[in-house]
Every structure is written in C-alpha cells, then in structure tokens.
Amino acid sequence: MALVAGVEQVRTVPQASLDPLSRLLKSDLEGVNRLILERMQSPVALIPRLASHIVAGGGKRLRPMLTLGCARMCGYRGDRHIALAAAVEFIHTATLLHDDVVDASDLRRGRDTANAVWGNKPAVLVGDFLFSRSFELMVADGSLRVLEILSRASAIIAEGEVMQLMTTGNTATTEADYLAVIQSKTAELFAAASRIGAVLAERLPKEEEALDRFGRNLGTAFQLVDDMLDFSARQSELGKSVGDDFRDGKVTLPVLLAFSRGDEDERGFWRRTLEELDQQPGDLERAIHLVECRGALAETLARARTYAAAATRALAPFADGPERRALIAAAAFAGDRRF
C-alpha cells in the first residue's frame, strides 16, 4: 500500500476528535453558516427548501473546518477564509445531492434524502444551483489561484464518481483502482480545502504541498472508515442504511480483501451478490460475517489509521500551536471515527 507522497507510517495515535477544531473555530464557523444560509436563498421557493433540508442535516462541516483551521494555522488574519469555506461546503453538499440520486439512497445522516422527499430531478437541479453558488463565491474572492484549485477539485470529484460507476459490480477491481476512486471522489476536496488555507496566507509552495498531503491523507482515511462502517456500524449511529454499498454492488476495500482471502465458494457469493446483484434474504448478514472473519474490517481500519498518521506527519513544517494540534486531532478522528 502506497501512502500519498510516500509518507511513512507512524505508530502513535493522537487524540481523535473534532471538538478541539470546532471549539477553536466557533466564531468562524458561525460566519460560514450564516453565509451558507444567505447564499442558498432563491425566489424559486423549492430551492431553499430542498437545500436547507441537506444543509441543516447535521453534517460535520469537516471540509470547511479544514479551510478555516489551515488558514489560521498559517497565520492568515483576514476574513476571506469564511467565504471560501462556504464555497467548499457548497461543493460538498452539491456532490451529496447528486450522489444520493446516483445511488438511489433514501437515508442520509438519519433523515430522508432530498431525492426521497422531492424526487430525483429537483435534487439534481438544486445540486447544480449549489455548485453555481460555490463558483460565485470563488469569483468574488478574486484569486485565480484559489479558483484554479477548487475548480480543478470539482472536475476531479466528478471523474471519481464516474470511475466508481465503472468499478461497481466488478469484483476484478484492483486495490489500485479502488484507491484511485477514493482519491478523486473524496480526498481531492479535502486536499483542496486544506491547501487554500496556505494560499490565503501567501505561504511558500512547499507549505501548500504539505497541506495538500495533509488533506489528501485525511480524506483517504475518512473514506476508508466510511467503507468499513457500511459493514459494521449500527444504522442509528451511522446515519444511513447499513449495507448500502453492498446493496448497490460497490466494490470497496473490505470486499476486495474478503474476496482475495476467501475460498471459491465465498468468491462465488461475492460475484452473485455484487456482479449480478442477485441478493437474497440473509445475504447482507453473510457479507458482514465474511468481511469480519477474513479480517477485512480490521485491515481497512488499520490502513485508515496509517493514512491518518501520514496526515499528521504532513503538518511537520508548521509551528506548534492550538490550530495545528486541533488539525492533528481531526486527522486522528478521520481514522478512528464510529459515525
């Protein structure tokens, strides 16, 4: 397994929590939330109603917190980071609306998805509206460098989603293919959100690169744990239906590991349920048993923690302080969360 930029594994596990970062950024986050509520308004009544359903749905705001926290760690003391953090959250929210349509999901963060309530067409179109709002905020900021980073991230995220469609239902998917998907569809926005903190503070290119590595490793850890939780969490904790990935035929790392370590009967089970989507009562329970008994969940979690440790290592060029410590705690959370 290759870590982003070859960062070596570290064994120590720091505090795993978003609380230090959210406390430190309380005032900034309030500004971001106010701006989000302001910019999702529209005279077309369905737009703010549908947008508020997902925006107010209890998300962690982790991506905008990375923008805010990295900017402050880098010494930025202006207020441009507020609007750019809101732009990052609009990009993320738009992708969630589109993803739920593609996946035919009916539950997110413990609530009905927007497409389950209003239908697929309104959900897709409001997602487009939020993408447009994010670009308005970027243009108003006036930095071509920021626009370059976030617009490129938006394109790569879309590529990642298409890549995932190509691997769905394909048990011949390699771990390299899987990692390429999550690098694009998840880690890219984490990397961009972190990197623009250094751009705002006009830090050196090598520090931009360090924050890119930080966000990219953190995002990879976050997605690995998300894929693990689909086979292990309780629905009340996860905020979505356990087994959604399995029902959709998604080939994630727990499946890849269980498939490679299983016997021919087990491989036949995975081919039937994921490639043919011939799923019968009891199949999800068997899938959960197989990923557990083949050590796939423990291995996925171990790899997530390795990426989280790599994210921490990436912050080495920055001086110690409350922001850096809070970002380290956030990285640990990404690799050790249960929801």
Side-chain angles (χ1 to χ4, degrees):
M1 173 193 57
L3 294 181
V4 177
V7 183
E8 65 185 72
Q9 181 176 358
V10 294
R11 295 182 179 277
T12 56
V13 180
Q15 177 190 14
S17 176
L18 292 182
D19 291 343
L21 195 59
S22 60
R23 284 196 300 267
L24 196 63
L25 301 172
K26 184 175 184 295
S27 177
D28 286 348
L29 275 173
E30 288 171 352
V32 171
N33 287 329
R34 283 194 299 270
L35 186 56
I36 287 172
L37 291 172
E38 173 190 321
R39 290 305 183 97
M40 72 184 191
Q41 297 307 310
S42 166
V44 181
L46 180 58
I47 290 176
R49 192 158 69 244
L50 191 153
S52 64
H53 177 81
I54 188 166
V55 168
K60 303 173 187 66
R61 296 285 196 270
L62 178 52
R63 294 156 189 84
M65 280 201 289
L66 294 180
T67 297
L68 300 173
C70 288
R72 288 188 54 169
M73 181 182 67
C74 288
Y76 179 70
R77 293 297 177 259
D79 59 6
R80 289 167 58 200
H81 64 321
I82 302 293
L84 292 178
V88 166
E89 184 66 4
F90 274 141
I91 292 171
H92 173 56
T93 305
T95 62
L96 294 184
L97 285 168
H98 290 168
D99 289 352
D100 286 341
V101 171
V102 171
D103 296 339
S105 300
D106 56 13
L107 192 68
R108 178 175 289 280
R109 299 168 185 159
R111 308 175 72 202
D112 291 335
T113 56
N115 52 295
V117 177
W118 288 281
N120 288 340
K121 292 178 182 179
V124 169
L125 294 172
V126 173
D128 293 343
F129 173 84
L130 295 181
F131 263 127
S132 300
R133 283 294 196 229
S134 73
F135 280 92
E136 286 179 348
L137 290 166
M138 292 179 228
V139 170
D141 177 75
S143 167
L144 286 178
R145 179 66 177 139
V146 167
L147 182 59
E148 176 189 16
I149 291 168
L150 290 179
S151 60
R152 181 176 182 273
S154 299
I156 291 174
I157 292 165
E159 289 174 345
E161 293 296 345
V162 176
M163 289 164 60
Q164 185 171 65
L165 286 178
M166 296 169 63
T167 62
T168 296
N170 181 9
T171 57
T173 298
T174 65
E175 288 189 29
D177 294 333
Y178 165 78
L179 285 171
V181 169
I182 66 174
Q183 284 291 314
S184 296
K185 83 180 191 72
T186 301
E188 186 65 32
L189 187 56
F190 280 87
S194 303
R195 185 172 198 138
I196 59 176
V199 174
L200 285 172
E202 300 181 344
R203 300 292 286 256
L204 295 172
K206 66 180 182 180
E207 292 170 316
E208 274 191 44
E209 292 291 340
L211 288 185
D212 185 289
R213 291 195 303 274
F214 166 74
R216 200 170 298 277
N217 280 294
L218 188 157
T220 303
F222 190 92
Q223 187 61 56
L224 284 168
V225 173
D226 204 58
D227 293 345
M228 180 203 72
L229 290 175
D230 193 68
F231 286 101
S232 59
R234 288 190 291 270
Q235 183 167 317
S236 60
E237 296 173 340
L238 188 56
K240 67 177 185 179
S241 301
V242 172
D244 272 352
D245 291 347
F246 175 75
R247 282 184 284 268
D248 292 339
K250 290 182 180 177
V251 180
T252 58
L253 185 60
V255 171
L256 289 173
L257 294 172
F259 184 87
S260 67
R261 297 171 179 179
D263 58 29
E264 191 51 43
D265 176 66
E266 291 169 17
R267 293 191 187 100
F269 166 80
W270 291 116
R271 292 189 186 101
R272 172 176 63 80
T273 55
L274 299 181
E275 294 186 357
E276 302 170 22
L277 284 182
D278 175 13
Q279 297 183 8
Q280 302 165 7
D283 279 347
L284 174 59
E285 290 73 17
R286 186 182 180 193
I288 291 171
H289 170 72
L290 290 178
V291 294
E292 287 177 344
C293 74
R294 292 301 180 184
L297 296 184
E299 174 67 16
T300 300
L301 180 59
R303 294 196 192 187
R305 288 173 171 168
T306 300
Y307 279 101
T312 295
R313 252 324 151 83
L315 294 179
F318 301 95
D320 186 35
E323 291 88 359
R324 183 175 180 273
R325 291 192 293 271
L327 288 167
I328 289 172
F333 168 82
D336 204 41
R337 64 194 178 93
R338 292 293 178 268
F339 61 94

